[in-house]
Amino acid sequence: MTSAPPASVLDLAPVVPVVVIEDAGHAVPLARALVAGGLPAIEVTLRTPAALDAIREIAREVPDAVVGAGTVISPGQVGDAVAAGARFLVSPGWTDVLLEAMRGSGVPFLPGVSTTSEVVALLERGVREMKFFPAQAAGGTAYLKSLSGPLPQARFCPTGGIGPASAPDYLALPNVACVGGSWMLPSDAVAGRDWGRIEALARAAAGLSAGGTCR
């Protein structure tokens, strides 16, 4: 039985792994490694044919994981992801049609923004938690810091180009609750099924906080 969705994705851990799964057979051991390392929120992107099967397997076999779907860009994907067991949704951008589908899904969602106008438009619609994407290319920490003054009610999960060196700078910002990234999932470790290495990298990521010190 699928667990209830979290009240907020942003408060589960300082880092949300962004996972691209090519082989659904990797899903369960990969998720177990991330959870063991202290990263329970796992965003499986809908970029591959294996993604929905991966979400389904993680939801069924890894109860301590909070599995979600990323790269959600259509109402159809919203329904498919939730049916597979996704407990949150993340989009790279949004439209009113997509927003209403996510709002009606019954699970938390993070619509993607990259401009001040998009943030204001979501605030008008009652949405305060957002993905900032692509973070580095869209202005990075300087841009997000500039938003915190006029728009303090918006909370972000920046994703895109963030690694272990830059993550603490994002986490130091008052309007950033967590960051998304894939650096704890090197492709050679996934291909080689080196789950111990992934768990160790996840543990290091879970310990990140503002200033680079462990929480």
Side-chain angles (χ1 to χ4, degrees):
M1 187 175 191
T2 303
S3 301
S8 173
V9 181
L10 298 184
D11 298 323
L12 293 173
V15 178
V16 176
V18 179
V19 185
V20 179
I21 295 181
E22 302 285 352
D23 180 351
H26 290 162
V28 168
L30 186 153
R32 285 176 175 157
L34 292 172
V35 171
L39 299 180
I42 302 170
E43 176 189 335
V44 177
T45 65
L46 301 184
R47 302 180 192 174
T48 69
L52 289 174
D53 285 338
I55 290 171
R56 194 173 292 111
E57 289 297 312
I58 294 170
R60 183 168 56 222
E61 301 293 337
V62 193
D64 291 333
V66 180
V67 65
T71 323
V72 176
I73 58 173
S74 72
Q77 287 182 324
V78 170
D80 290 344
V82 173
R87 294 168 62 191
F88 65 92
L89 305 169
V90 184
S91 69
W94 66 277
T95 65
D96 280 319
V97 171
L98 179 58
L99 187 65
E100 286 310 304
M102 291 193 294
R103 198 193 296 273
S105 69
V107 301
F109 56 92
L110 297 174
V113 296
S114 60
T115 70
T116 306
S117 294
E118 290 171 327
V119 176
V120 171
L122 283 177
L123 292 174
E124 283 185 348
R125 290 160 174 78
V127 178
R128 296 190 174 191
E129 298 188 344
M130 312 168 195
K131 170 180 178 173
F132 182 65
F133 175 83
Q136 288 290 92
T141 55
Y143 194 96
L144 282 170
K145 184 177 180 180
S146 72
L147 292 180
S148 65
L151 302 171
Q153 62 271 57
R155 300 176 74 217
F156 299 97
C157 175
T159 303
I162 299 174
S166 59
D169 295 331
Y170 281 94
L171 293 169
L173 298 175
N175 54 353
V176 170
C178 62
V179 300
S182 57
W183 71 86
M184 71 297 298
L185 298 159
S187 57
D188 60 332
V190 175
R193 297 175 179 260
D194 191 348
W195 312 126
R197 180 181 171 199
I198 289 172
E199 180 180 340
L201 290 169
R203 185 169 293 109
L208 290 175
S209 65
T213 57
C214 290
R215 294 183 177 223

